Amino acid sequence: MIKTYDEVIEYLFARLPMFTRDGASAIKKDMDNTVRFCQALGNPHRQFKSIHVAGTNGKGSTSHLLASVLASAGYKTGLYTSPHLVDFRERIRISGEMIPQKNVINFVNRHRALIEEIQPSFFEMTVAMAFDYFAGEQVDVAVVEVGLGGRLDSTNILLPELCLITNIGMDHTDLLGNTLTEIASEKAGIIKPQVPVVLSERDETIAHVFEQKARQMNAPIRFASTELAVRSCERSGKGLTLKIADNVHHLTKEVYIGLGGRYQQKNILGVLTALDELRKRGWAIGEEQLCEGLALVEQNTGLQGRWQTLSMDPLIICDTGHNEDGIREVMANIRATVHHNLHVVMGAMRDKDLSHMLPQLPKEAIYYFCSPDMPRALPADELKIKAERYGLAGDTYPSVNNALASAKEAYQEGDLIFVGGSNFVVADVLKD
């Protein structure tokens, strides 16, 4: 019998393979363990409605935005996302509240023999725990973010009300494929028979992959960027005010999102189209509730790490963007933020293809190379060597917080300190 929450988390971290810690070796390329685990639990995933969200970038923000709107509309809303930044329980929420510690303790104690028999990965166990919790609490709907890929992801045992795929980019190529077409095929694996699918962006080079899969599944398909377009985007307080043109109904409307990253322009199109699809299928989501949900996403869901301002003086902003497209969007945000000198506290994972990320970073910035506190992290001195090949100069530091402390010392009024490169760099900062 494990008595405390800390002991349970230590047991899970020590016993189960974790992708965030161990990399590709922790990935099980089938859903067998999840199916077995959930069968033993009474198939909880069949006991609630769900919305399934995949994509290379933006799926976390998109999931939180959808969950926030549904909660504002009065639905008891589960939310499953990964990875967590500070507390494991961030992965499993209902209407913004993290799963209680006692539920985590009870689940592991009740099913410890099953865990040790099946030997699931950390992610597989977490998915089973989330689905069991959502079923037990009788949620009206759960928004479930895919962990990695789609076709073979543990979450793909769901038969959802709606699938949403944000975008396709080059990430996890060692697991998903070396071309956009191969990666798109993996993401398209979440499309189910007769279940509507929304894609936030239409990329003509790979649109056929999704159209073909949708035809095979007799699934209605909508491309949000074909139906909607952002006409203007203005920073407004902590968030963004967007004017959005509806190309289908020839209307323009204004929405406010309580998130400051300009890349949310891409996510909002998929979110609005998905909500429109749900309304068409009988979901009661009023315009006032929609606007409230978009504005209060951080308060409603606890979202962190998306162009998040940690301090105004010194000005410190963090973002979890960690692949080619993610860094491109981060750089657009940095360029849109008035500053003198730019200080970049940066770390990365060993398995990231930095040859697509590092060239996008500005040579004039001052870099503070560091390594997050986990085995999968790239050592700071190796990151520095790789960065120097692209003209990026700076010193190495033994930890993320050492690097941030040095950046604060060098900061002068009007400068900007950016913290990022990996989820786990941001996590180390948020923990303190």
Side-chain angles (χ1 to χ4, degrees), residues 307-343:
W307 197 249
Q308 181 177 348
T309 301
L310 301 176
S311 161
M312 290 301 295
D313 185 20
L315 178 56
I316 305 173
I317 297 175
C318 69
D319 194 278
T320 55
H322 58 273
N323 53 37
E324 180 178 0
D325 291 341
I327 293 295
R328 186 178 296 115
E329 298 296 344
V330 162
M331 290 313 306
N333 274 328
I334 287 174
R335 287 191 292 271
T337 304
V338 176
H339 62 274
H340 297 317
N341 295 312
L342 174 62
H343 306 263

Side-chain angles (χ1 to χ4, degrees), residues 45 48-54 58-72 75-82 90-96 123 126-127 130-131 133-135 139-147 153 155 158 160-166 190 270-271 274-275 278 283 285 297 300-301:
H45 56 291
F48 55 86
K49 294 179 179 179
S50 60
I51 297 164
H52 204 191
V53 182
K59 62 182 184 291
S61 295
T62 293
S63 297
H64 283 80
L65 286 163
L66 284 171
S68 181
V69 172
L70 288 165
S72 289
Y75 292 101
K76 187 174 185 179
T77 306
L79 177 62
Y80 176 78
T81 57
S82 62
E90 294 167 33
R91 296 170 181 247
I92 305 169
R93 299 177 186 266
I94 294 178
S95 297
F123 187 81
T126 307
V127 166
F131 292 173
Y133 180 57
F134 295 154
V139 298
D140 297 317
V141 61
V143 180
V144 177
E145 178 194 9
V146 167
D153 189 76
T155 62
L158 290 170
E161 299 287 296
L162 175 76
C163 298
L164 195 159
I165 301 171
T166 57
I190 72 165
V271 170
L275 292 169
L278 290 174
W283 290 69
I285 304 165
V297 58
N300 283 354
T301 68

